[in-house]
């Protein structure tokens, strides 16, 4: 008999964790979870000319760039100082640890798809440093540990004192997400052990009969849910639920000092603490906080089986999508609080933080996994193709924190920010894009996004199916989906028919098409036209699938004019252009230096064509519009002019200038524009 050595035990333990890991690959180590499972991004290889180059730039340029920035700006040094390896004061904001965590998460995802020993070694070194900065009981927050007597501004004089402003738990949440990603990428527990030690300390500290307080910036809930999935420790989900349930109740701890800029706003609304989460029905406050909270509520609802949470986030979704979302999928219109305004308050100088767009994507993906309704993917797709990827330049080295729909010029991407939440958030989102393409249940395979790709998917646990997509999406609506099961298999293929192809740009009517389009989507099965039932936005094709079966979609992609609900004052009398999932904008560089004076009459003839040489290869729109000019008698009149529009996500890659998504439809709708310019404070 072999004597069991500590190494063997450790291995057994790793195997147990690996079994838990099996969940995300389609296993069942966790009892309850979303009724639909996402198909992990490691199972889907995107080979298209849209996402694949962006993911490659992220891997080759942005991740190393962000790691370098973390070093240059003292973010990594803070861990060295906390570990006692370096002298000096804490540098930067109290939540700067998270920028290191987020890049580790993105780099780990990247490692899963592209093994890279040099990058892995860099991560190993960072993780050693993080471990060394952790206090013996598991507390990990360099903003305090570097010099507990003089913690970073806003960290509070002692642990948890300003929990609503300190970001101690926000830091933990991002650390948990990064640790889980690193574990899944490498099978190594080095970072996971640090995370578990921290989470166990939180479990010991907070709870109904312990400390009652809330994290001022939600995120720990999502992190705890992920940690639960790989460890099986249900206490983590209970703790996430506890933090959510404490909102709207009296807490320990302290609010921000009165001179904080947040004093301008209702602090409890700012952090969604104004009423219990189950009673919240309008999205208020800081948009990233809200999005992370709603995503966390979805996780807790799915993992713990709490239908009342689902009801609450369904209500909030109706509000956001129906009254508070930009055409680009961005959310958060007020700069001063980086947050939501009143219903229909959607100025085009929009704050629309990149992180809030990412949060909106995370939340809508989770709602799809709960409900199996394509309307959530409609929102997800709108965010992904527009207001999210606008956050990073084509070269992967410049970033937007705010994503306005209108600029008077002077508004440019930056290489980094003092508050640098957005760039590293992009680094972790992009590698995960393939994970949004499919979803699966025991008997249904959902096709949510369209991109040339190859995937290996287990439908119903056993039926291995190769799925190949061939398409030029988002530039062309022709999509071929090859279904190749290893063995003949019965299941339903649920193919999303995008809302915009069913004359519904957004699910709740906040935006509608002003023009008519009677071209219908055509679906063919092995070259024969079929008319499968459409339910919840999916064409359901149920049959016995055999290798070589091909489903073809022809989704018409005419240029469409979009108008907003009349209660959106800022878009009154205006139209925007959309083609397929892509929202367009006019930039000064293409329009004689000016974009804000363009008038786009409803009868202006427009055509689109592909420009392989422009901003990485995009479809552009060309036509004849008009400008307002003063006539001799001082009256405004319209004069014809050439007009060019490019995809919104690609703006600000060719120098400075005006930009607009919305165009007055008539001379009467022309008014002074207040687009975002140089003055651009970041909280
Ligand atoms: Zn951000």
């Amino acid at each position: 008999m072999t004597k069991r050595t500590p190494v063997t035990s450790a291995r057994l333990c790793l195997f147990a964790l690996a079994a838990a890991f099996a969940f995300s690959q389609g296993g069942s180590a966790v009892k309850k979870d979303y009724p639909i499972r996402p198909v992990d991004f490691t199972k889907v290889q995107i080979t298209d000319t849209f996402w694949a180059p962006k993911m490659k730039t992220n891997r080759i340029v942005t991740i190393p760039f962000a790691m370098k920035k973390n070093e240059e700006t003292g973010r990594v040094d803070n861990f060295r100082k906390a570990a006692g390896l370096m002298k000096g004061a804490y540098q930067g904001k109290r939540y700067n640890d998270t920028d290191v965590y987020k890049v580790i998460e993105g780099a780990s995802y990247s490692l899963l798809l592209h093994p890279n020993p040099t990058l892995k070694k860099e991560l190993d070194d960072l993780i050693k440093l993080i471990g060394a900065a952790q206090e013996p009981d598991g507390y990990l927050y360099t903003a305090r540990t570097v010099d507990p007597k003089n913690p970073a501004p806003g960290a509070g004089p002692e642990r948890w004192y300003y929990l609503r402003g300190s970001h101690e738990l926000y830091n933990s949440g991002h650390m948990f997400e990064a640790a889980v990603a690193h574990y899944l990428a490498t099978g190594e527990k080095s970072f996971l052990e640090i995370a578990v030690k921290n989470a166990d300390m939180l479990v010991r500290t907070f709870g109904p009969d312990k400390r009652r307080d809330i994290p001022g910036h939600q995120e720990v809930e999502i992190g705890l849910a992920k940690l639960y999935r790989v460890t099986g420790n249900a206490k983590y989900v209970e703790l996430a639920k506890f933090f959510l349930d404490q909102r709207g109740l009296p807490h320990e701890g302290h609010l921000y000092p009165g001179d904080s800029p947040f004093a301008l706003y209702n602090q409890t609304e700012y952090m969604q603490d104004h009423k219990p989460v189950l009673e919240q029905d309008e999205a208020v406050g800081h948009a990233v906080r809200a999005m992370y909270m709603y995503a966390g509520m979805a996780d807790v609802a799915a993992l713990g089986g709490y239908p009342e949470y689902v009801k609450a986030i369904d209500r909030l979704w109706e509000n956001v999508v129906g009254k508070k979302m930009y055409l680009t999928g961005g959310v958060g219109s007020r700069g001063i609080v980086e947050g939501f305004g009143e219903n229909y308050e959607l100025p085009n100088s929009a704050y629309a933080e990149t992180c809030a767009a990412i949060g909106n994507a995370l939340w809508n993906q989770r709602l799809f996994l709960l409900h199996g309704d394509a309307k959530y993917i409609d929102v997800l797709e709108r965010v992904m193709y527009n207001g999210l990827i606008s956050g990073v330049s084509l070269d992967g080295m410049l970033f937007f924190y705010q994503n306005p729909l209108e600029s008077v010029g002077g508004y440019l991407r930056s290489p980094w920010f003092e508050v640098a939440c957005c760039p590293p958030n992009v680094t972790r989102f992009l590698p995960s894009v393939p994970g949004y393409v499919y979803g699966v249940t025991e008997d249904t395979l959902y096709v949510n996004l369209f991109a040339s790709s190859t995937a290996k998917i287990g439908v119903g646990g056993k039926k291995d199916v190769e799925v190949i997509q061939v398409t030029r999406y988002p530039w062309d609506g022709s999509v071929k989906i090859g279904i190749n099961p290893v063995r003949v298999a019965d299941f339903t293929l649920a193919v999303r028919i995008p809302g915009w192809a069913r004359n519904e740009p957004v699910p709740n009517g906040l935006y509608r098409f002003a023009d008519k389009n009677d071209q219908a989507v055509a679906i063919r099965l092995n070259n024969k036209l079929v008319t499968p039932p459409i339910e919840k936005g999916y064409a359901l094709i149920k049959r016995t699938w055999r290798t070589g079966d091909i489903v073809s979609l022809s989704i018409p992609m005419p240029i469409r004019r979009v108008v907003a609900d009349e209660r959106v004052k800022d878009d009154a009398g205006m139209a925007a252009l959309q083609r397929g999932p892509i929202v367009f904008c006019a930039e000064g560089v293409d329009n004689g230096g000016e974009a804000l004076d363009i008038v786009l009459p409803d009868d202006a003839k427009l055509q689109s064509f592909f420009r392989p040489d422009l901003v990485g290869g995009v479809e552009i729109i060309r036509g004849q519009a008009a400008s307002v000019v003063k006539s001799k008698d001082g009256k405004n009149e319209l004069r014809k002019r050439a007009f060019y529009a490019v995809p919104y996500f690609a703006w600000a890659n060719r120098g400075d200038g005006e930009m607009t998504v919305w165009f007055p439809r008539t001379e009467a709708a022309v008014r002074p524009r207040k687009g975002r310019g140089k003055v651009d404070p970041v909280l």
Side-chain angles (χ1 to χ4, degrees):
M1 259 184 61
T2 316
K3 199 176 156 198
R4 180 171 289 182
T5 62
V7 172
T8 321
S9 305
R11 277 201 188 130
L12 282 174
C13 185
L14 182 62
F15 289 150
L17 283 164
F21 168 35
F23 159 74
S24 66
Q25 306 288 306
S28 58
V30 168
K31 280 182 194 147
K32 281 197 198 92
D33 211 310
Y34 288 99
I36 302 172
R37 294 189 305 278
V39 174
D40 198 87
F41 67 88
T42 57
K43 305 276 185 186
V44 183
Q45 198 191 359
I46 291 188
T47 52
D48 72 348
T49 56
F50 188 89
W51 291 110
K54 289 179 177 38
M55 290 162 62
K56 189 177 176 188
T57 301
N58 186 58
R59 176 166 56 88
I60 292 175
V61 179
T62 315
I63 289 174
F65 178 78
M67 289 179 82
K68 191 166 131 253
K69 282 286 174 192
N70 279 336
E71 272 289 359
E72 284 173 5
T73 55
R75 284 165 164 83
V76 180
D77 282 344
N78 285 334
F79 286 95
R80 293 191 179 99
K81 291 168 188 169
L85 300 169
M86 187 177 174
K87 289 217 179 322
Y90 180 86
Q91 201 177 336
K93 301 282 185 187
R94 60 203 181 281
Y95 34 77
N96 277 5
D97 291 357
T98 58
D99 301 324
V100 178
Y101 299 146
K102 278 191 271 193
V103 179
I104 294 177
E105 186 183 347
S108 297
Y109 291 156
S110 170
L111 275 184
L112 262 169
L113 303 175
H114 300 275
N116 175 340
T118 312
L119 179 61
K120 182 173 179 303
K121 170 80 171 55
E122 284 175 2
L123 296 192
D124 287 346
D125 291 347
L126 274 176
I127 289 163
K128 265 191 208 129
L129 210 50
I130 293 166
Q134 186 168 34
E135 296 193 15
D137 69 347
Y139 186 77
L140 181 47
Y141 181 65
T142 65
R144 186 180 318 285
T145 307
V146 168
D147 183 359
K149 287 195 177 125
N150 296 294
E158 57 199 51
R159 286 183 186 186
W160 324 126
Y161 181 90
Y162 274 147
L163 194 55
R164 274 164 276 178
S166 65
H167 290 56
E168 281 156 298
L169 294 178
Y170 172 79
N171 283 17
S172 287
H174 276 302
M175 193 247 295
F176 299 162
E177 288 206 78
V180 169
H182 179 260
Y183 168 66
L184 297 183
T186 62
E188 291 170 13
K189 291 196 297 172
S190 51
F191 201 0
L192 192 63
E193 281 171 349
I194 296 168
V196 164
K197 193 172 169 186
N198 183 259
D200 288 346
M201 186 267 306
L202 298 183
V203 168
R204 288 195 305 275
T205 307
F206 296 94
D209 46 4
K210 301 166 203 167
R211 190 174 182 92
R212 286 172 173 267
D213 203 351
I214 59 150
H217 195 318
Q218 301 87 330
E219 159 61 24
V220 74
E221 302 82 357
I222 294 175
L224 284 165
K226 285 195 176 176
L227 208 51
Y228 165 61
R229 288 207 181 92
V230 294
T231 62
N233 186 345
K235 284 199 163 53
Y236 300 152
V237 178
E238 286 166 25
L239 182 62
K241 183 170 185 296
F242 170 79
F243 285 135
L244 289 168
D245 288 343
Q246 282 303 296
R247 302 195 102 81
L249 302 179
H251 318 296
E252 295 179 41
H254 301 77
L255 287 174
Y256 285 102
D259 58 353
S260 149
F262 303 108
L264 294 170
Y265 192 77
N266 179 329
Q267 288 192 30
T268 56
E269 275 198 4
Y270 173 76
M271 58 188 75
Q272 296 82 34
D273 186 29
H274 55 303
K275 40 171 122 160
V277 291
L278 297 182
E279 294 171 22
Q280 296 191 21
D281 53 9
E282 181 179 350
V284 294
H286 188 266
V288 182
R289 283 168 165 82
M291 292 294 122
Y292 286 7
M293 181 172 92
Y294 306 157
M297 285 170 72
D299 282 344
V300 167
L303 294 169
Y306 302 110
E308 63 276 24
Y309 272 65
V310 181
K311 265 192 204 158
I313 46 176
D314 283 353
R315 273 199 315 265
L316 288 159
W317 184 86
E318 297 285 332
N319 176 250
V320 171
V321 173
K323 294 171 183 166
K324 298 197 177 188
M325 188 173 77
Y326 285 102
L327 187 63
T328 53
V331 289
S333 55
R334 283 190 187 172
I336 186 69
V337 289
E338 303 185 309
F340 290 101
E342 300 294 328
N343 288 334
Y344 306 106
E345 181 187 328
L346 293 163
N348 289 310
S349 54
Y351 200 76
E353 181 176 342
T354 304
C355 287
I358 290 174
N360 200 11
L362 299 176
W363 179 36
N364 275 281
Q365 162 77 345
R366 282 161 168 79
L367 286 167
F368 157 73
L369 298 173
L370 277 172
H371 294 299
D373 194 318
K375 65 184 181 181
Y376 304 110
I377 305 297
D378 286 345
V379 178
L380 172 74
E381 181 184 67
R382 179 168 294 282
V383 178
M384 282 174 68
Y385 280 96
N386 300 292
L388 194 163
I389 49 168
S390 54
V392 59
S393 62
L394 293 175
D395 68 6
M397 300 205 313
L398 294 167
F399 307 91
F400 271 150
Y401 195 111
Q402 300 101 326
N403 295 272
L405 283 76
E406 184 174 296
S407 172
V408 294
Y411 183 66
L412 293 166
R413 290 189 180 80
S414 305
W416 202 249
F417 307 97
E418 188 190 4
V419 177
C421 49
C422 299
N425 225 350
V426 173
T427 66
R428 71 185 189 129
F429 183 82
L430 276 173
S432 73
V433 164
Y436 295 97
V437 177
Y438 298 104
V440 70
T441 67
E442 282 299 299
D443 57 6
T444 303
L445 170 58
Y446 292 89
V447 182
N448 282 335
L449 300 180
F450 306 114
S452 279
S453 55
T454 307
K456 285 262 189 320
I457 302 171
V459 184
K462 286 183 198 144
K463 301 162 199 158
D464 283 334
V465 183
E466 181 191 53
V467 184
I468 298 174
Q469 283 196 41
V470 180
T471 177
R472 285 188 62 247
Y473 202 89
W475 312 122
D476 188 299
S478 166
V479 184
K480 282 195 168 37
I481 307 167
I483 305 290
N484 301 318
V486 170
R487 275 181 291 280
V488 170
D490 291 327
F491 61 89
T492 299
L493 187 74
V495 183
R496 173 174 158 261
I497 307 300
W500 54 260
R502 293 181 282 108
N503 282 318
E504 200 179 82
V506 289
N508 269 14
L510 181 58
Y511 304 99
R512 63 181 173 80
F513 291 124
D515 49 10
K516 290 222 169 357
N517 170 41
D518 42 21
Q519 306 172 57
V521 176
I523 305 170
R524 288 180 177 79
L525 174 62
N526 296 330
N527 271 331
K528 282 204 189 89
L529 210 55
V530 290
T531 51
I534 310 275
E535 283 175 27
K536 294 184 174 178
Y538 290 97
L540 303 178
I541 308 172
K542 186 176 180 186
R543 67 188 248 108
T544 304
W545 296 94
R546 291 184 166 74
T547 287
D549 282 342
I550 294 178
V551 173
S552 312
L553 299 181
S554 298
I555 313 175
M557 276 194 183
I559 300 163
R560 305 298 306 271
R561 283 174 166 79
V562 186
V563 293
D565 184 295
E566 61 189 21
R567 286 166 285 191
V568 182
K569 296 278 178 280
D570 291 274
D571 300 337
M574 315 262 257
L577 297 173
Q578 179 171 342
R579 182 181 179 277
I582 303 286
V583 174
F584 283 75
C585 70
E587 282 195 275
V589 64
D590 302 312
N591 292 283
E594 291 168 333
L596 294 174
D597 68 334
I598 294 171
V599 176
L600 190 63
D602 287 357
D603 60 357
K605 294 251 179 310
L606 302 173
Q607 53 185 188
S608 71
F609 60 98
F610 193 71
R611 279 277 303 269
D613 55 319
L614 200 71
V615 282
V618 294
E619 197 83 9
I620 72 162
I621 294 174
R622 178 176 67 183
Q624 199 169 57
S627 302
V628 175
V629 288
K630 290 270 182 224
S631 65
K632 279 182 193 154
D633 53 6
K635 284 188 183 156
N636 284 345
E637 58 182 37
L638 293 182
R639 182 181 295 163
K640 284 187 177 170
R641 62 177 285 175
F643 169 76
Y644 292 90
V646 296
Y648 168 77
F649 74 80
W651 88 280
N653 276 290
R654 295 171 294 153
D656 185 11
E658 294 183 359
M659 182 279 291
T660 184
V661 167
W662 292 96
F663 305 95
R665 299 163 76 183
T666 59
E667 188 266 320
V670 174
R671 57 182 179 276
R673 308 286 282 270
K674 293 176 287 191
R676 189 164 287 276
K678 267 201 185 97
V679 183
D680 193 23
V682 172
L683 291 178

